[in-house]
C-alpha cells in the first residue's frame, strides 16, 4: 500500500511529510538540497528547458527574470503572471510547487495512498477552491484539506507524549499570512473554538519594513534612492534573521550595498519599531479571537508557536503582552503544519491501508473544525420604518458554526407573478447585513418558475458546509421543486485547461 502524506504549501517555503511504519509523521528532506534541508522555497523559475522549483528560483527573485514567488497570497484572485506570452495564475504556479512536493515524497515512499494539503485558516472559499485545483493539476487526488493551525495543533498533541487538557492558542505567523486559533484539547480530541487570520501579514511584510528602513538610511547617506537590485528582499530576510540573535548588524552583511562605499548599520530596536504597527495588528486579532472564544488570556494553557516568523524576539514579546505568558518553545516551527497534515491524511482515510501500529496511533484522534466566515444570501425584505422593500444580506451559516453542518432557511418571493429569483451566496468576515460590505462568491438565477402566483412563495435555501470546508448551496422553489445548486469546491478547476499542464508530470 502507499503512504499517507501531508503537504504544507507555504507562502515562502513548503514541506512534505509522511506517516512511517510506526505511525509517526516524518518530514522528507528535499533530495536536491544539502542534507537536513527539510523545507523548499515556494518559488518557480522558468528556464529554457522548463520550470525549476526551489532555492535556485528563489535566488532569482527580483532579478527581472522569469522567477516568481509569494503567489500563494494571490490564490483565488485575478492576478496573473506572464511567462513567454502565457498568462499563468497563482493556481498554476502553486501546482508546480505541489508537484515538486509530490516528487520529493515519491522519492522516499514510492507510492502515495492519500494526501492532504494545508491552507491558512483565514483563506476565503475561492482560495480554498484554488488550492484544491492546484493539487489536482499536480496529479494529486485531494479529498481533504486542513487549516494550518489545526494541523500544527494535531502534531503538537501527538508529539507531546501525554494527554493534554484545556485550551491552547495556536499562533501561526509564517512568511505570508497570520492565523490564530483557540483550540480545546482533551487528550488527542481537538475542537476549534475560534479562529481568525490576516491574509497578508507575515515575514514578507517584515522584510519589506527592513528594506524600507535600509532604503531611508541609504537615501540620507547618499542622497540617492536605493536600487532594489542592490539590496533585495532576500538580503533583507537574511538581515532580519540575523537581528533575531544580534542587537545590531550591517545591512547586506558580506554583500555590498550599491558601490560598496556606504555602510548601513541597523539596530534591532530600529527594526522592531519599524514592524510595531504590524505586530499591533496581530495583537488586536488575538484579543478578538479570545473574545470570540469567550475566554480570558489566563484561561489559555499554552501558546504554541508555528511558522518561521515566530522566531523574532519582538513577536514573542508581543505574545506575552496579549496572553500574559511566554509561548512554548518549539524546535520545528517550520515543519509542524506538514507533520500534522500527514496525521490528518491517515485520520481521514478509510483505514484500509494502515498497518496495526499506524491504526493504533491515530485511533484516539478526532478533529472538529468551524466555519471561519459568515455565509449568507441577499434577499428582499420590507423595512417597516421606511415602508420600502430593501436588499439585505441574510446570514445562513454563522462564523464559528461547527462543521460539517447543513443549515436551511426559508425566504419568500417579493412580488406577484414572479417567475425568477436572483440567487447569490455571500461571504463576510463579520456579521453584516448591508450588501455593500459583503463579498458575492457565487450568483445565479432560479428561473422558469410557474406564472400567475401571488407574492410570498417559499424559497428554501440550504447551505451544506462539509468537513473539507467547501460548500454546496441549494435554492429550491418549494411548490414547483425547481432548484439551482452551487457547488463551491473543485468546480472552478473542472474542465479548464491551462498552459501549465505541459509542465506537470505524474
Amino acid at each position: 500500500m502507499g503512504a499517507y502524506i501531508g503537504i504544507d504549501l507555504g507562502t515562502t517555503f513548503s514541506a512534505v511529510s509522511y506517516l512511517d511504519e510506526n505511525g509517526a509523521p516524518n518530514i522528507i528532506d528535499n533530495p536536491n538540497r544539502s542534507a537536513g534541508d527539510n523545507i523548499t522555497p515556494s518559488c518557480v523559475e522558468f528556464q529554457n528547458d522548463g520550470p525549476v522549483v526551489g532555492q535556485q528560483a528563489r535566488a532569482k527573485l527580483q532579478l527581472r527574470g522569469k522567477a516568481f514567488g509569494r503567489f500563494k497570497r494571490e490564490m483565488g484572485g485575478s492576478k496573473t503572471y506572464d511567462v513567454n506570452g502565457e498568462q499563468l495564475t497563482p493556481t498554476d504556479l502553486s501546482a508546480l510547487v505541489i508537484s515538486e512536493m509530490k516528487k520529493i515524497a515519491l522519492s522516499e515512499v514510492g507510492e502515495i495512498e492519500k494526501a492532504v494539503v494545508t491552507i491558512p485558516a483565514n483563506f476565503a472559499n475561492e482560495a480554498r477552491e484554488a488550492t484544491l485545483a492546484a493539487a489536482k493539476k499536480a496529479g494529486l487526488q485531494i479529498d481533504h484539506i486542513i487549516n494550518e493551525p489545526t494541523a500544527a495543533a494535531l502534531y503538537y498533541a501527538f508529539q507531546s507524549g501525554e494527554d493534554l487538557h484545556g485550551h491552547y492558542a495556536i499562533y501561526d505567523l509564517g512568511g505570508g499570512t497570520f492565523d490564530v486559533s483557540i483550540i480545546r484539547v482533551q487528550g488527542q480530541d481537538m475542537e476549534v473554538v475560534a479562529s481568525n487570520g490576516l491574509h497578508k501579514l507575515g515575514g514578507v511584510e517584515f522584510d519589506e519594513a527592513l528594506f524600507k528602513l535600509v532604503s531611508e538610511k541609504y537615501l540620507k547617506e547618499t542622497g540617492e534612492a536605493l536600487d532594489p537590485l542592490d539590496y533585495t528582499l532576500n538580503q533583507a530576510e537574511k538581515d532580519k534573521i540575523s537581528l533575531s540573535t544580534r542587537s545590531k548588524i550591517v545591512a547586506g552583511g558580506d554583500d555590498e550595498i550599491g558601490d560598496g562605499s556606504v555602510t548601513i548599520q541597523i539596530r534591532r530596536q530600529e527594526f522592531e519599531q519599524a514592524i510595531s504597527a504590524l505586530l499591533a495588528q496581530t495583537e488586536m486579532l488575538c484579543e478578538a479571537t479570545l473574545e470570540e472564544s469567550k475566554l480570558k488570556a489566563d484561561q489559555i494553557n499554552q501558546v504554541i508557536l508555528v511558522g518561521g516568523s515566530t522566531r523574532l524576539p519582538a513577536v514573542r514579546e508581543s505574545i506575552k503582552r496579549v496572553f500574559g505568558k511566554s509561548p512554548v518553545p518549539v524546535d520545528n516551527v517550520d515543519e509542524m503544519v506538514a507533520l500534522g497534515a500527514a496525521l490528518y491524511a491517515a485520520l481521514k482515510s478509510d483505514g484500509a491501508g494502515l498497518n496495526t501500529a499506524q491504526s493504533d496511533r491515530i485511533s484516539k484522534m478526532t478533529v472538529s473544525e468551524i466555519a471561519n466566515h459568515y455565509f449568507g444570501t441577499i434577499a428582499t425584505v420590507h423595512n417597516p420604518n421606511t415602508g420600502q422593500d430593501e436588499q439585505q444580506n441574510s446570514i445562513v451559516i454563522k462564523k464559528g458554526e461547527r462543521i460539517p453542518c447543513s443549515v436551511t432557511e426559508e425566504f419568500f418571493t417579493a412580488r406577484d407573478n414572479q417567475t425568477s429569483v436572483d440567487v447569490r451566496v455571500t461571504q463576510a468576515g463579520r456579521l453584516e447585513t448591508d450588501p455593500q460590505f459583503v463579498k458575492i462568491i457565487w450568483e445565479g438565477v432560479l428561473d422558469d418558475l410557474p406564472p400567475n402566483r401571488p407574492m410570498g412563495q417559499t424559497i428554501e435555501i440550504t447551505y451544506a458546509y462539509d468537513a473539507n470546508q467547501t460548500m454546496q448551496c441549494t435554492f429550491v422553489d418549494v411548490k414547483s421543486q425547481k432548484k439551482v445548486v452551487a457547488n463551491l469546491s473543485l468546480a472552478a478547476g473542472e474542465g479548464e485547461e491551462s498552459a501549465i499542464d505541459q509542465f506537470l508530470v505524474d
Side-chain angles (χ1 to χ4, degrees):
M1 299 295 289
Y4 297 86
I5 70 167
I7 296 174
D8 174 13
L9 177 63
T11 301
T12 52
F13 290 93
S14 294
V16 59
S17 69
Y18 76 104
L19 199 68
D20 68 18
E21 291 298 308
N22 297 316
N26 291 271
I27 291 289
I28 304 173
D29 287 355
N30 185 336
N32 298 321
R33 301 180 67 199
S34 59
D37 283 335
N38 298 337
I39 57 178
T40 300
S42 304
C43 300
V44 181
E45 180 190 10
F46 289 87
Q47 301 179 348
N48 291 335
D49 56 351
V52 173
V53 175
Q55 186 60 43
Q56 181 178 336
R58 185 172 184 269
K60 300 292 182 65
L61 293 179
Q62 288 185 275
L63 299 183
R64 296 173 184 154
K66 294 298 182 184
F68 305 95
R70 307 181 182 97
F71 37 80
K72 173 184 172 180
R73 305 208 300 184
E74 308 298 335
M75 291 288 275
S78 60
K79 184 177 177 65
T80 60
Y81 304 82
D82 181 79
V83 178
N84 302 322
E86 298 283 357
Q87 297 302 309
L88 303 185
T89 67
T91 297
D92 294 330
L93 297 176
S94 294
L96 288 171
V97 176
I98 295 175
S99 186
E100 181 71 12
M101 295 299 100
K102 175 185 172 183
K103 188 187 304 181
I104 291 170
L106 290 174
S107 71
E108 176 74 23
V109 302
E111 184 180 350
I112 296 170
E113 175 73 17
K114 185 174 286 291
V116 163
V117 176
T118 67
I119 54 170
N122 67 76
F123 254 17
N125 194 72
E126 59 268 28
R128 294 169 187 266
E129 291 179 2
T131 303
L132 289 169
K136 181 183 178 184
K137 285 178 179 290
L140 284 177
Q141 180 57 49
I142 302 294
D143 297 321
H144 296 91
I145 53 179
I146 184 173
N147 290 337
E148 290 164 4
T150 309
L154 187 61
Y155 174 70
Y156 182 78
F158 172 86
Q159 61 85 43
S160 66
E162 59 185 39
D163 284 347
L164 304 178
H165 298 278
H167 291 91
Y168 294 78
I170 312 300
Y171 186 100
D172 185 355
L173 184 62
T177 59
F178 171 63
D179 285 320
V180 59
S181 295
I182 306 296
I183 296 180
R184 183 185 298 113
V185 182
Q186 295 294 330
Q188 293 190 43
D189 296 340
M190 282 182 295
E191 179 184 9
V192 180
V193 177
S195 186
N196 285 292
L198 294 168
H199 187 51
K200 292 188 177 181
L201 196 158
V204 173
E205 278 66 38
F206 298 154
D207 299 343
E208 290 174 346
L210 184 54
F211 176 85
K212 181 180 179 183
L213 183 60
V214 172
S215 297
E216 290 171 348
K217 289 198 168 193
Y218 185 86
L219 178 63
K220 185 176 180 180
E221 288 287 332
T222 67
E224 298 178 357
L226 178 62
D227 189 332
L229 295 181
D230 289 335
Y231 182 71
T232 67
L233 287 177
N234 283 349
Q235 289 174 295
E237 182 187 33
K238 291 179 182 177
D239 289 342
K240 174 190 69 178
I241 293 171
S242 295
L243 283 169
S244 294
T245 57
R246 301 169 60 186
S247 61
K248 61 183 178 181
I249 61 163
V250 172
D254 296 333
D255 299 322
E256 294 181 343
I257 296 178
D259 60 7
S261 61
V262 177
T263 298
I264 305 297
Q265 191 174 85
I266 300 293
R267 291 180 291 116
R268 180 193 290 175
Q269 185 177 6
E270 293 177 295
F271 171 60
E272 291 180 346
Q273 179 59 38
I275 64 173
S276 60
L278 296 169
L279 292 180
Q281 292 182 54
T282 67
E283 291 174 18
M284 288 188 289
L285 202 68
C286 287
E287 290 166 354
T289 307
L290 280 170
E291 185 175 346
E292 286 181 19
S293 70
K294 297 180 173 57
L295 295 170
K296 302 293 185 183
D298 61 7
Q299 293 176 284
I300 301 299
N301 291 37
Q302 294 176 330
V303 182
I304 312 302
L305 299 180
V306 184
S309 295
T310 60
R311 293 189 175 96
L312 293 178
V315 170
R316 301 190 178 205
E317 286 301 314
S318 172
I319 292 170
K320 286 177 65 176
R321 285 195 293 271
V322 176
F323 292 97
K325 57 176 66 68
S326 296
V328 175
V330 178
D331 292 332
N332 54 352
V333 292
D334 299 307
E335 303 170 6
M336 289 178 67
V337 171
L339 291 164
L343 288 167
Y344 195 68
L347 181 63
K348 301 304 289 187
S349 73
D350 60 10
L354 298 172
N355 64 29
T356 301
Q358 292 170 332
S359 295
D360 289 345
R361 296 298 291 268
I362 68 165
S363 61
K364 297 179 182 179
M365 296 180 183
T366 65
V367 177
S368 178
E369 275 282 11
I370 58 173
N372 290 304
H373 295 84
Y374 290 94
F375 295 93
T377 190
I378 297 175
T380 301
V381 298
H382 184 75
N383 187 330
N385 296 321
T386 64
Q388 301 293 318
D389 289 341
E390 298 176 356
Q391 295 279 287
Q392 178 177 294
N393 181 58
S394 297
I395 303 301
V396 179
I397 291 181
K398 296 178 181 179
K399 181 179 179 181
E401 186 85 35
R402 192 72 44 213
I403 59 174
C405 67
S406 180
V407 180
T408 299
E409 298 285 351
E410 287 187 348
F411 296 84
F412 305 93
T413 55
R415 62 183 184 275
D416 294 339
N417 304 315
Q418 187 171 343
T419 58
S420 67
V421 177
D422 293 330
V423 289
R424 287 160 285 191
V425 180
T426 65
Q427 175 180 284
R430 61 183 182 182
L431 187 61
E432 182 60 68
T433 59
D434 191 334
Q436 296 184 70
F437 301 111
V438 299
K439 185 174 186 179
I440 297 174
I441 60 175
W442 182 87
E443 55 186 323
V445 179
L446 176 59
D447 56 9
D448 294 327
L449 302 181
N452 305 318
R453 298 190 302 175
M455 64 182 292
Q457 300 297 310
T458 302
I459 305 296
E460 195 173 76
I461 297 178
T462 300
Y463 287 5
Y465 203 155
D466 67 21
N468 204 32
Q469 302 175 58
T470 56
M471 281 199 307
Q472 181 179 83
C473 304
T474 306
F475 302 81
V476 180
D477 177 76
V478 172
K479 192 166 185 178
S480 69
Q481 285 299 294
K482 288 187 175 294
K483 67 180 179 180
V484 171
V485 179
N487 288 299
L488 304 181
S489 55
L490 282 173
E494 291 288 347
E496 294 182 4
E497 294 296 328
S498 166
I500 208 72
D501 291 340
Q502 62 186 300
F503 300 127
L504 294 172
V505 295
D506 291 332

